[in-house]
Amino acid sequence: RSYVGHLWALDWPEFALADFDRDKIVQFAGFWFSGAGGRSSVARTESEIAAQKTQLIGAIDERPHLLEVAGIPLLLTLMAFVHQHEGELPRSQAKLYESIVDLLLFHWKDEGTAGGSTALGLRPLLGQQVSENAFLGALQKVAWEVQHDDRSRGVRKEPADISGERLRNGLAGLHRPRSLDWANQVIAALQLRAGLLRFVSGTPESPVFAFLHRSFQEYFAGANLALMKDFPKEALRLLQLDLPYWQNTVKWAAGRLAHNDGRFRDVRDLIRELCLPFEAASAPVLAPQVVVAGEILADAGPRDIANETEGPRCVELVQEHLQTLMLDESREVRAREEAGKVLGKVGDPRPGV
């Protein structure tokens, strides 16, 4: 957890950690399972430690999207926690983040709190009055709202600021009677016990927070998007804004629908919504929109989408549009290369490829 904010009052210089390359990821895994991070009440042999390290690195190598996540030291630490807690890493990124969030919020064994704080854990605060789903729904709504209000236009990679007032009001509505004091205790637990929020600036009376990492903001916003009745059309509207963080949010939403909820039909509907405007031969293909459709298809699994009614044609549309982009010499090289990579993930229909 970050040593920042009014509770610490430490006059220390701040440094940014560089992302890990694969060699450093392997080195970290070795330290983790043989050192304090991977400690267990059950004594383990050297061969058991080596096997756990190999399993974690193997899982990361098998899934290219996890390699990028694992390069961030903080997220690699959380991945190691999930692997240790569950015995393996979930295959999809949406399931991985669901496990990370569940671990941070409801299973984190805190060994001390900041500045002498006595912040309660979340489960005692929620008690029998507030369900975990309702609590997660409140966080999802806050993430959705701050992402909508973000004026950076996707330029910055940091998560958006969340005012203490917005967070308190969003949480207080869960409690009966509506209690801002209870909401403040929940915020303290999110920051000090779970570590999902970090203090950015302000004072104890008027604090400003942010999610631990931008990907958590996008994950929660995506969960909120997935619940919308008109999900495919709303997702299309967001993608037409051509902002990276909305592209990520739509992909998170589709990943949750496929892997967390098993709603492949809704994912199929989204892919069709993204591709149908370009079905006519004369229609120009929009590269970002089709590439996102391909990435969603690759994550959900072409076979699972093809098993749905009209699913095979949906898969064919994505393949055809990606092939059109890749072979279009009037496009930028980078766009053609990206289309080719995604086409490889969803299956290149060309003979001999």
Side-chain angles (χ1 to χ4, degrees):
R1 111 182 9 104
S2 299
Y3 289 76
V4 296
H6 60 277
L7 288 172
W8 294 99
L10 299 174
D11 188 22
W12 290 354
E14 297 181 16
F15 298 94
L17 292 176
D19 287 354
F20 287 168
D21 56 23
R22 190 185 179 282
D23 289 342
K24 288 184 173 61
I25 292 172
V26 172
Q27 188 177 20
F28 173 91
F31 289 147
W32 178 267
F33 289 113
S34 61
R39 63 184 177 275
S40 170
S41 58
V42 180
R44 292 169 300 155
T45 65
E46 289 296 321
S47 61
E48 289 173 329
I49 292 172
Q52 285 188 312
K53 171 186 172 181
T54 301
Q55 288 169 5
L56 177 61
I57 298 302
I60 292 171
D61 284 342
E62 287 174 7
R63 305 159 215 174
H65 62 277
L66 291 188
L67 185 59
E68 182 179 351
V69 173
I72 302 170
L74 171 66
L75 297 185
L76 177 59
T77 303
L78 295 174
M79 289 169 67
F81 263 118
V82 169
H83 187 279
Q84 179 184 336
H85 189 73
E86 300 186 2
E88 61 179 2
L89 286 183
R91 294 203 64 82
S92 78
Q93 196 164 347
K95 287 293 289 183
L96 172 62
Y97 269 61
E98 182 181 56
S99 296
I100 289 175
V101 168
D102 184 68
L103 181 64
L104 286 175
L105 294 181
F106 305 118
H107 299 285
W108 194 260
K109 295 181 178 179
D110 191 63
E111 299 180 1
T113 52
S117 168
T118 57
L120 292 173
L122 279 168
R123 280 215 164 107
L125 284 168
L126 298 182
Q128 296 181 345
Q129 188 181 59
V130 181
S131 70
E132 291 180 6
N133 283 340
F135 173 68
L136 290 171
L139 290 180
Q140 292 162 9
K141 185 176 180 182
V142 168
W144 176 263
E145 290 173 350
V146 297
Q147 186 145 306
H148 254 291
D149 294 345
D150 190 350
R151 298 292 181 249
S152 69
R153 303 294 295 171
V155 173
R156 67 178 186 180
K157 294 183 178 180
E158 295 79 16
D161 291 345
I162 310 172
S163 71
E165 181 181 10
R166 166 174 269 169
L167 196 54
R168 277 192 296 269
N169 289 335
L171 293 170
L174 299 172
H175 195 262
R176 297 290 182 272
R178 182 182 175 88
S179 171
L180 292 178
D181 288 339
W182 176 84
N184 283 330
Q185 292 183 69
V186 172
I187 292 171
L190 284 170
Q191 184 190 2
L192 303 175
R193 298 281 297 229
L196 191 59
L197 287 180
R198 60 184 178 85
F199 177 86
V200 176
S201 62
T203 64
E205 295 75 25
S206 184
V208 176
F209 300 100
F211 281 102
L212 182 64
H213 187 266
R214 179 96 198 188
S215 58
F216 285 100
Q217 175 186 311
E218 293 168 351
Y219 166 79
F220 279 117
N224 189 79
L225 173 62
L227 295 173
M228 294 184 178
K229 291 182 179 179
D230 210 9
F231 163 67
K233 292 189 181 301
E234 178 63 14
L236 176 60
R237 183 188 71 81
L238 293 172
L239 288 175
Q240 288 173 341
L241 298 175
D242 196 22
L243 295 172
Y245 58 76
W246 282 125
Q247 293 175 8
N248 293 336
T249 299
V250 170
K251 288 187 283 187
W252 277 119
R256 279 185 59 88
L257 288 172
H259 302 292
N260 301 40
D261 303 332
R263 291 165 54 189
F264 290 98
R265 184 170 299 179
D266 292 327
V267 179
R268 176 210 61 188
D269 290 345
L270 171 60
I271 295 172
R272 289 178 61 199
E273 191 77 28
L274 296 178
C275 290
L276 281 177
F278 317 120
E279 192 166 16
S282 60
V285 176
L286 295 178
Q289 194 165 311
V290 169
V291 168
V292 169
E295 290 172 336
I296 290 171
L297 175 61
D299 179 69
R303 287 185 180 179
D304 288 309
I305 297 300
N307 285 335
E308 297 293 332
T309 304
E310 299 183 21
R313 179 53 186 157
C314 182
V315 174
E316 290 173 1
L317 275 175
V318 174
Q319 293 171 332
E320 290 169 6
H321 293 330
L322 287 171
Q323 186 174 331
T324 298
L325 283 173
M326 182 183 66
L327 300 177
D328 186 351
E329 296 183 359
S330 67
R331 305 273 181 171
E332 292 183 359
V333 173
R334 181 178 297 180
R336 296 176 63 193
E337 181 182 6
E338 187 176 20
K341 287 180 179 179
V342 178
L343 180 60
K345 294 177 184 178
V346 301
D348 193 330
R350 291 176 296 168
V353 176

